[in-house]
Amino acid sequence: MNSPTLTTPGAVAPFDGAPDQGVPWHFGDPFAEQRAAARGVAVFDRSHRGVIAVPGEDRLTWLHSLTSQHFTALGQDRGTEMLVLDAQGRVEHHAVVANTGGTAYLDVEAETTAPLLEYLSRMVFWSKVEPRDATAELALLTVAGPDAAELLGKLDVPVPDGADGVRELPGGGFARRVSWPGAGAVDLLVPRGELGDWWSRLTGAGARAAGSWAFTALRVESLRPRPGVDTDEKTIPHEVNWIGSAVHLDKGCYRGQETVAKVQNVGRPPRRMLLLHLDGTREVQPETGDPVRHGDRVVGRVGSVALHHDLGPVVLALVKRSVPVDAELLVGAEDRVVQASVDPDSVPADSPRLGHEAARGLAR
Protein backbone atom coordinates (compact mmCIF):
# COMPACT_ATOMS: atom_id res chain seq x y z
CA MET A 1 0.00 0.00 0.00
CA ASN A 2 1.25 3.49 -0.83
CA SER A 3 1.47 6.05 1.95
CA PRO A 4 -0.37 9.38 1.60
CA THR A 5 2.94 11.09 2.40
CA LEU A 6 4.09 10.26 -1.14
CA THR A 7 1.78 13.02 -2.36
CA THR A 8 3.17 15.70 -0.05
CA PRO A 9 5.27 18.50 -1.60
CA GLY A 10 8.87 17.50 -2.21
CA ALA A 11 8.37 13.77 -1.67
CA VAL A 12 10.44 11.56 -3.99
CA ALA A 13 9.37 7.94 -4.39
CA PRO A 14 11.99 5.15 -4.45
CA PHE A 15 13.04 3.93 -7.88
CA ASP A 16 11.64 0.66 -9.20
CA GLY A 17 13.22 -2.30 -7.50
CA ALA A 18 14.55 -0.28 -4.56
CA PRO A 19 13.68 -1.32 -1.01
CA ASP A 20 11.09 0.58 1.02
CA GLN A 21 8.47 0.81 -1.70
CA GLY A 22 5.34 2.69 -0.69
CA VAL A 23 6.99 5.43 1.41
CA PRO A 24 9.10 8.47 0.43
CA TRP A 25 12.75 7.88 -0.42
CA HIS A 26 13.66 11.47 0.39
CA PHE A 27 12.32 15.04 0.34
CA GLY A 28 14.97 16.70 -1.79
CA ASP A 29 17.96 16.76 0.57
CA PRO A 30 18.65 13.43 2.31
CA PHE A 31 21.81 14.73 3.98
CA ALA A 32 19.92 17.62 5.58
CA GLU A 33 17.28 15.12 6.66
CA GLN A 34 19.95 13.08 8.44
CA ARG A 35 21.40 16.17 10.11
CA ALA A 36 17.95 17.16 11.35
CA ALA A 37 17.55 13.75 13.01
CA ALA A 38 21.03 14.05 14.55
CA ARG A 39 20.78 17.66 15.74
CA GLY A 40 17.12 18.63 15.89
CA VAL A 41 14.07 16.53 15.04
CA ALA A 42 12.88 14.63 11.98
CA VAL A 43 9.97 12.33 11.22
CA PHE A 44 10.25 9.19 9.09
CA ASP A 45 7.34 7.43 7.40
CA ARG A 46 7.80 3.71 8.04
CA SER A 47 4.20 2.77 7.39
CA HIS A 48 5.27 0.06 4.93
CA ARG A 49 6.10 -2.21 7.88
CA GLY A 50 3.67 -4.93 8.87
CA VAL A 51 1.95 -5.16 12.25
CA ILE A 52 0.77 -8.31 14.03
CA ALA A 53 -1.49 -7.99 17.09
CA VAL A 54 -1.50 -10.69 19.77
CA PRO A 55 -4.32 -10.08 22.26
CA GLY A 56 -5.22 -12.50 25.02
CA GLU A 57 -4.42 -13.17 28.65
CA ASP A 58 -1.75 -15.76 27.81
CA ARG A 59 0.10 -13.58 25.29
CA LEU A 60 3.28 -13.03 27.35
CA THR A 61 3.75 -16.62 28.55
CA TRP A 62 2.94 -17.86 25.03
CA LEU A 63 5.44 -15.55 23.32
CA HIS A 64 7.98 -16.41 26.03
CA SER A 65 7.78 -20.09 25.05
CA LEU A 66 8.19 -19.44 21.32
CA THR A 67 10.80 -16.70 21.07
CA SER A 68 14.22 -15.58 22.26
CA GLN A 69 12.85 -12.87 24.56
CA HIS A 70 11.98 -13.05 28.29
CA PHE A 71 8.35 -12.00 27.92
CA THR A 72 7.24 -13.09 31.37
CA ALA A 73 9.48 -10.34 32.75
CA LEU A 74 8.05 -7.72 30.38
CA GLY A 75 5.75 -5.33 32.19
CA GLN A 76 2.66 -3.51 31.04
CA ASP A 77 3.38 -0.57 28.72
CA ARG A 78 6.87 -1.78 27.87
CA GLY A 79 8.61 -2.56 24.61
CA THR A 80 11.33 -4.95 23.48
CA GLU A 81 12.56 -6.96 20.48
CA MET A 82 12.28 -10.66 19.77
CA LEU A 83 13.54 -13.36 17.41
CA VAL A 84 12.07 -16.61 16.18
CA LEU A 85 14.91 -19.06 15.52
CA ASP A 86 15.04 -22.39 13.76
CA ALA A 87 16.26 -25.57 15.47
CA GLN A 88 19.89 -24.71 14.60
CA GLY A 89 19.62 -21.25 16.15
CA ARG A 90 19.44 -19.39 12.82
CA VAL A 91 17.26 -16.31 12.57
CA GLU A 92 13.88 -16.79 10.93
CA HIS A 93 11.99 -13.71 12.14
CA HIS A 94 12.65 -10.45 13.97
CA ALA A 95 10.02 -8.16 15.49
CA VAL A 96 9.87 -4.98 17.54
CA VAL A 97 7.30 -5.39 20.31
CA ALA A 98 5.02 -3.23 22.44
CA ASN A 99 2.90 -4.67 25.25
CA THR A 100 0.02 -2.30 25.93
CA GLY A 101 -3.74 -2.31 26.42
CA GLY A 102 -3.99 -6.09 26.77
CA THR A 103 -2.25 -6.73 23.43
CA ALA A 104 1.30 -7.41 22.29
CA TYR A 105 1.97 -5.64 18.98
CA LEU A 106 4.78 -6.93 16.76
CA ASP A 107 5.96 -4.71 13.91
CA VAL A 108 7.98 -6.48 11.26
CA GLU A 109 9.33 -6.27 7.73
CA ALA A 110 6.31 -6.28 5.41
CA GLU A 111 7.25 -9.45 3.55
CA THR A 112 7.59 -11.41 6.80
CA THR A 113 4.14 -10.50 8.16
CA ALA A 114 2.27 -13.40 6.57
CA PRO A 115 4.85 -16.15 7.30
CA LEU A 116 5.32 -15.03 10.90
CA LEU A 117 1.55 -14.85 11.45
CA GLU A 118 1.16 -18.31 9.91
CA TYR A 119 3.79 -19.70 12.29
CA LEU A 120 2.23 -18.05 15.33
CA SER A 121 -1.25 -19.22 14.38
CA ARG A 122 -0.01 -22.82 14.09
CA MET A 123 1.45 -22.62 17.61
CA VAL A 124 -1.66 -21.40 19.46
CA PHE A 125 -2.90 -24.84 20.60
CA TRP A 126 -4.74 -24.29 23.89
CA SER A 127 -3.26 -20.86 24.74
CA LYS A 128 -5.64 -17.94 25.17
CA VAL A 129 -4.28 -15.77 22.35
CA GLU A 130 -5.70 -14.61 19.03
CA PRO A 131 -2.90 -13.39 16.71
CA ARG A 132 -4.07 -11.35 13.71
CA ASP A 133 -2.71 -9.12 10.97
CA ALA A 134 -3.16 -5.54 12.17
CA THR A 135 -1.31 -3.82 9.31
CA ALA A 136 -4.55 -2.24 8.08
CA GLU A 137 -5.17 -0.88 11.58
CA LEU A 138 -1.85 0.77 12.52
CA ALA A 139 0.92 2.62 10.67
CA LEU A 140 4.41 3.39 11.97
CA LEU A 141 6.04 6.82 12.09
CA THR A 142 9.41 7.39 13.81
CA VAL A 143 10.25 10.76 15.36
CA ALA A 144 13.99 11.07 15.99
CA GLY A 145 16.39 13.67 17.32
CA PRO A 146 17.34 15.44 20.54
CA ASP A 147 14.31 17.74 20.18
CA ALA A 148 11.80 14.90 19.67
CA ALA A 149 10.34 15.01 23.19
CA GLU A 150 9.90 18.78 23.06
CA LEU A 151 8.09 18.58 19.73
CA LEU A 152 5.80 15.78 20.90
CA GLY A 153 5.05 17.78 24.02
CA LYS A 154 3.83 20.68 21.88
CA LEU A 155 1.31 18.32 20.32
CA ASP A 156 0.23 16.86 23.68
CA VAL A 157 1.58 13.46 22.63
CA PRO A 158 2.52 11.43 25.73
CA VAL A 159 6.22 10.65 25.69
CA PRO A 160 7.00 7.22 27.19
CA ASP A 161 9.28 7.07 30.18
CA GLY A 162 12.48 5.05 30.27
CA ALA A 163 14.35 3.43 27.43
CA ASP A 164 11.58 0.94 26.63
CA GLY A 165 8.41 2.73 27.73
CA VAL A 166 5.10 2.60 25.87
CA ARG A 167 2.16 5.02 26.20
CA GLU A 168 -1.27 4.76 24.61
CA LEU A 169 -2.20 7.66 22.34
CA PRO A 170 -5.47 9.57 22.66
CA GLY A 171 -7.72 8.35 19.88
CA GLY A 172 -5.91 5.05 19.34
CA GLY A 173 -2.44 3.69 18.78
CA PHE A 174 0.60 4.10 21.01
CA ALA A 175 4.02 5.72 21.38
CA ARG A 176 7.07 3.54 22.04
CA ARG A 177 10.51 4.74 23.16
CA VAL A 178 13.35 3.28 21.10
CA SER A 179 17.13 3.55 21.35
CA TRP A 180 17.79 4.44 17.70
CA PRO A 181 18.11 6.13 15.27
CA GLY A 182 19.79 8.93 17.17
CA ALA A 183 18.92 10.43 20.50
CA GLY A 184 15.38 10.58 21.84
CA ALA A 185 13.71 8.48 19.14
CA VAL A 186 10.04 7.59 19.55
CA ASP A 187 7.96 5.25 17.39
CA LEU A 188 4.35 6.27 16.88
CA LEU A 189 1.97 3.55 15.78
CA VAL A 190 -1.07 5.55 14.75
CA PRO A 191 -4.43 4.59 13.23
CA ARG A 192 -3.66 3.99 9.55
CA GLY A 193 -6.57 6.09 8.41
CA GLU A 194 -5.10 9.07 10.30
CA LEU A 195 -1.53 8.70 8.97
CA GLY A 196 -1.73 11.80 6.76
CA ASP A 197 -3.14 13.92 9.59
CA TRP A 198 -0.38 12.79 11.96
CA TRP A 199 2.26 13.57 9.35
CA SER A 200 0.86 17.08 8.84
CA ARG A 201 0.75 17.71 12.58
CA LEU A 202 4.33 16.57 13.16
CA THR A 203 5.85 18.44 10.22
CA GLY A 204 3.71 21.48 10.98
CA ALA A 205 5.10 21.54 14.52
CA GLY A 206 8.67 21.61 13.22
CA ALA A 207 9.77 18.02 12.50
CA ARG A 208 11.70 17.80 9.24
CA ALA A 209 10.16 15.37 6.76
CA ALA A 210 12.70 12.60 6.14
CA GLY A 211 12.76 9.56 3.89
CA SER A 212 14.02 6.00 3.86
CA TRP A 213 17.41 7.06 2.44
CA ALA A 214 18.15 9.06 5.61
CA PHE A 215 16.69 6.39 7.89
CA THR A 216 18.91 3.70 6.35
CA ALA A 217 22.01 5.84 6.80
CA LEU A 218 21.24 6.43 10.47
CA ARG A 219 20.43 2.76 11.00
CA VAL A 220 23.76 1.74 9.47
CA GLU A 221 25.57 4.26 11.70
CA SER A 222 23.78 2.68 14.68
CA LEU A 223 24.99 -0.81 13.64
CA ARG A 224 21.42 -2.07 13.50
CA PRO A 225 20.78 -4.95 11.07
CA ARG A 226 17.78 -5.12 8.78
CA PRO A 227 16.35 -8.64 8.48
CA GLY A 228 16.67 -10.01 4.97
CA VAL A 229 19.22 -7.36 4.03
CA ASP A 230 21.95 -7.73 6.65
CA THR A 231 21.00 -11.32 7.43
CA ASP A 232 20.94 -14.46 5.32
CA GLU A 233 19.73 -18.03 5.80
CA LYS A 234 22.78 -18.83 8.00
CA THR A 235 22.69 -15.83 10.35
CA ILE A 236 22.74 -16.48 14.09
CA PRO A 237 21.94 -13.69 16.59
CA HIS A 238 25.53 -13.26 17.83
CA GLU A 239 26.69 -12.21 14.37
CA VAL A 240 24.46 -9.13 14.08
CA ASN A 241 24.35 -7.57 17.56
CA TRP A 242 21.01 -9.05 18.65
CA ILE A 243 22.30 -10.55 21.90
CA GLY A 244 20.85 -8.43 24.69
CA SER A 245 18.40 -6.43 22.60
CA ALA A 246 16.44 -9.30 21.04
CA VAL A 247 17.88 -12.35 22.84
CA HIS A 248 17.60 -12.70 26.61
CA LEU A 249 20.33 -14.98 27.93
CA ASP A 250 18.61 -15.78 31.24
CA LYS A 251 15.89 -17.93 29.75
CA GLY A 252 15.72 -21.24 27.94
CA CYS A 253 13.24 -23.69 26.49
CA TYR A 254 12.72 -22.13 23.08
CA ARG A 255 13.66 -23.40 19.67
CA GLY A 256 17.31 -22.65 18.85
CA GLN A 257 18.23 -21.89 22.47
CA GLU A 258 20.89 -24.61 22.57
CA THR A 259 22.90 -22.94 19.81
CA VAL A 260 22.56 -19.52 21.44
CA ALA A 261 23.86 -20.86 24.76
CA LYS A 262 26.69 -22.85 23.16
CA VAL A 263 28.04 -19.92 21.14
CA GLN A 264 27.65 -17.59 24.11
CA ASN A 265 29.43 -19.82 26.59
CA VAL A 266 32.05 -21.83 24.72
CA GLY A 267 32.26 -20.64 21.12
CA ARG A 268 32.50 -17.70 18.78
CA PRO A 269 30.22 -16.84 15.90
CA PRO A 270 31.79 -17.57 12.50
CA ARG A 271 31.05 -14.09 11.17
CA ARG A 272 30.64 -10.58 12.49
CA MET A 273 28.68 -7.63 11.16
CA LEU A 274 31.04 -4.73 10.48
CA LEU A 275 30.74 -1.16 9.28
CA LEU A 276 32.91 -0.70 6.19
CA HIS A 277 34.00 2.68 4.86
CA LEU A 278 34.07 2.77 1.07
CA ASP A 279 36.52 4.61 -1.13
CA GLY A 280 34.38 7.38 -2.51
CA THR A 281 36.59 8.37 -5.44
CA ARG A 282 34.53 6.22 -7.81
CA GLU A 283 30.89 7.09 -8.36
CA VAL A 284 29.73 3.52 -7.92
CA GLN A 285 28.29 1.62 -4.99
CA PRO A 286 28.07 -2.09 -4.23
CA GLU A 287 24.67 -3.72 -3.87
CA THR A 288 23.16 -5.89 -1.18
CA GLY A 289 24.40 -9.44 -1.64
CA ASP A 290 27.64 -8.46 -3.37
CA PRO A 291 30.80 -10.23 -2.17
CA VAL A 292 33.44 -8.85 0.17
CA ARG A 293 36.94 -9.99 -0.80
CA HIS A 294 40.26 -10.08 1.01
CA GLY A 295 42.90 -10.73 -1.61
CA ASP A 296 41.51 -13.44 -3.86
CA ARG A 297 39.18 -14.89 -1.20
CA VAL A 298 35.49 -14.12 -0.69
CA VAL A 299 35.22 -13.39 3.03
CA GLY A 300 31.77 -11.88 3.37
CA ARG A 301 28.64 -10.36 1.88
CA VAL A 302 27.32 -6.81 1.62
CA GLY A 303 24.15 -5.95 3.50
CA SER A 304 22.86 -2.38 3.84
CA VAL A 305 24.42 0.28 1.61
CA ALA A 306 24.18 3.94 2.63
CA LEU A 307 25.39 7.45 1.97
CA HIS A 308 25.85 9.08 5.37
CA HIS A 309 25.98 12.83 5.91
CA ASP A 310 29.16 12.57 7.99
CA LEU A 311 30.70 9.14 7.29
CA GLY A 312 30.25 9.21 3.52
CA PRO A 313 29.61 5.94 1.64
CA VAL A 314 29.36 3.03 4.06
CA VAL A 315 27.98 -0.49 4.19
CA LEU A 316 27.16 -3.10 6.78
CA ALA A 317 28.72 -6.42 5.86
CA LEU A 318 28.83 -9.91 7.35
CA VAL A 319 32.53 -10.77 7.35
CA LYS A 320 34.40 -13.89 8.47
CA ARG A 321 35.85 -13.56 11.94
CA SER A 322 39.31 -14.50 10.70
CA VAL A 323 39.62 -11.33 8.60
CA PRO A 324 42.06 -8.84 10.24
CA VAL A 325 40.54 -5.54 11.30
CA ASP A 326 43.19 -3.63 9.34
CA ALA A 327 42.66 -5.66 6.16
CA GLU A 328 42.30 -3.94 2.81
CA LEU A 329 39.05 -5.21 1.34
CA LEU A 330 37.32 -5.08 -2.04
CA VAL A 331 33.55 -4.76 -1.98
CA GLY A 332 31.14 -5.25 -4.87
CA ALA A 333 30.78 -7.18 -8.11
CA GLU A 334 31.22 -6.61 -11.83
CA ASP A 335 31.85 -2.90 -12.53
CA ARG A 336 30.93 -1.70 -9.03
CA VAL A 337 33.96 -2.94 -7.07
CA VAL A 338 35.38 -0.41 -4.61
CA GLN A 339 38.04 -0.51 -1.90
CA ALA A 340 36.86 -0.64 1.69
CA SER A 341 38.25 -0.52 5.22
CA VAL A 342 36.80 -1.67 8.53
CA ASP A 343 35.61 0.92 11.03
CA PRO A 344 37.42 -0.33 14.18
CA ASP A 345 34.67 1.02 16.42
CA SER A 346 32.22 -1.41 14.79
CA VAL A 347 34.28 -4.49 15.71
CA PRO A 348 32.46 -6.57 18.34
CA ALA A 349 34.48 -8.20 21.08
CA ASP A 350 35.49 -11.81 20.48
CA SER A 351 33.91 -12.66 23.81
CA PRO A 352 30.48 -11.22 24.67
CA ARG A 353 31.84 -10.50 28.12
CA LEU A 354 34.32 -7.96 26.78
CA GLY A 355 33.27 -4.44 25.97
CA HIS A 356 33.80 -2.54 22.74
CA GLU A 357 36.71 -0.68 24.34
CA ALA A 358 38.54 -3.98 24.69
CA ALA A 359 37.74 -4.82 21.10
CA ARG A 360 39.15 -1.51 19.93
CA GLY A 361 42.29 -2.13 21.96
CA LEU A 362 42.76 -5.51 20.28
CA ALA A 363 42.14 -3.90 16.89
CA ARG A 364 44.95 -1.41 17.43
Side-chain angles (χ1 to χ4, degrees):
M1 59 185 74
N2 286 332
S3 171
T5 62
L6 282 168
T7 63
T8 58
V12 176
F15 57 88
D16 290 344
D20 302 307
Q21 295 291 319
V23 296
W25 186 30
H26 62 82
F27 289 85
D29 192 342
F31 294 136
E33 295 164 25
Q34 295 174 45
R35 288 192 290 270
R39 304 170 187 172
V41 59
V43 57
F44 301 89
D45 182 353
R46 303 176 64 210
S47 61
H48 55 321
R49 283 178 65 82
V51 181
I52 295 172
V54 185
E57 60 184 86
D58 292 341
R59 65 190 182 280
L60 296 183
T61 53
W62 180 70
L63 287 169
H64 184 88
S65 68
L66 297 177
T67 75
S68 61
Q69 191 52 263
H70 200 313
F71 276 100
T72 57
L74 185 68
Q76 175 69 9
D77 294 325
R78 291 295 168 196
T80 189
E81 298 176 60
M82 65 168 231
L83 300 176
V84 174
L85 308 177
D86 70 9
Q88 286 72 45
R90 296 172 297 206
V91 176
E92 289 192 343
H93 297 285
H94 171 271
V96 186
V97 185
N99 178 44
T100 186
T103 298
Y105 293 94
L106 323 177
D107 61 272
V108 299
E109 296 289 337
E111 64 273 13
T112 69
T113 309
L116 176 56
L117 180 59
E118 179 184 4
Y119 169 73
L120 294 175
S121 299
R122 284 193 283 109
M123 302 303 292
V124 170
F125 301 120
W126 55 84
S127 298
K128 296 178 181 178
V129 291
E130 298 178 356
R132 71 175 189 276
D133 188 342
T135 306
E137 303 169 29
L138 295 171
L140 173 60
L141 299 172
T142 295
V143 182
D147 298 336
E150 180 181 354
L151 178 131
L152 294 173
K154 291 179 184 177
L155 299 175
D156 296 323
V157 175
V159 178
D161 61 333
D164 59 355
V166 177
R167 295 281 299 275
E168 293 188 41
L169 296 173
F174 58 88
R176 175 183 58 209
R177 205 67 178 266
V178 288
S179 60
W180 64 279
V186 177
D187 284 344
L188 302 177
L189 278 96
V190 303
R192 187 166 289 274
E194 301 174 16
L195 174 60
D197 293 338
W198 272 96
W199 185 264
S200 296
R201 289 176 62 199
L202 291 164
T203 55
R208 177 149 193 157
S212 60
W213 175 334
F215 187 85
T216 297
L218 296 174
R219 177 178 59 77
V220 168
E221 178 190 21
S222 301
L223 301 178
R224 299 293 301 195
R226 180 173 183 174
V229 176
D230 300 299
T231 65
D232 58 20
E233 71 282 355
K234 299 182 293 184
T235 301
I236 61 174
H238 304 74
E239 295 178 326
V240 289
N241 301 335
W242 271 331
I243 299 299
S245 61
V247 176
H248 199 293
L249 294 173
D250 294 332
K251 64 159 288 188
C253 301
Y254 62 92
R255 191 174 68 181
Q257 185 266 341
E258 182 178 353
T259 297
V260 170
K262 184 176 180 179
V263 174
Q264 179 71 17
N265 294 322
V266 299
R268 296 177 179 178
R271 301 177 297 177
R272 51 193 180 186
M273 186 180 70
L274 302 175
L275 178 68
L276 305 184
H277 294 270
L278 305 183
D279 180 356
T281 56
R282 295 187 63 202
E283 294 184 2
V284 295
Q285 284 186 296
E287 297 178 357
T288 298
D290 278 352
V292 178
R293 289 185 171 85
H294 181 214
D296 58 358
R297 293 189 306 132
V298 174
V299 295
R301 68 175 291 276
V302 174
S304 296
V305 182
L307 286 174
H308 190 274
H309 71 101
D310 184 36
L311 301 176
V314 288
V315 302
L316 291 179
L318 276 175
V319 180
K320 290 182 178 180
R321 178 169 292 277
S322 59
V323 174
V325 174
D326 59 355
E328 294 184 3
L329 304 174
L330 292 176
V331 176
E334 300 173 352
D335 60 351
R336 54 180 184 272
V337 176
V338 296
Q339 291 184 317
S341 60
V342 176
D343 186 323
D345 287 346
S346 74
V347 179
D350 283 345
S351 167
R353 295 178 180 82
L354 295 177
H356 280 257
E357 289 300 326
R360 287 196 287 271
L362 290 172
R364 295 191 187 99

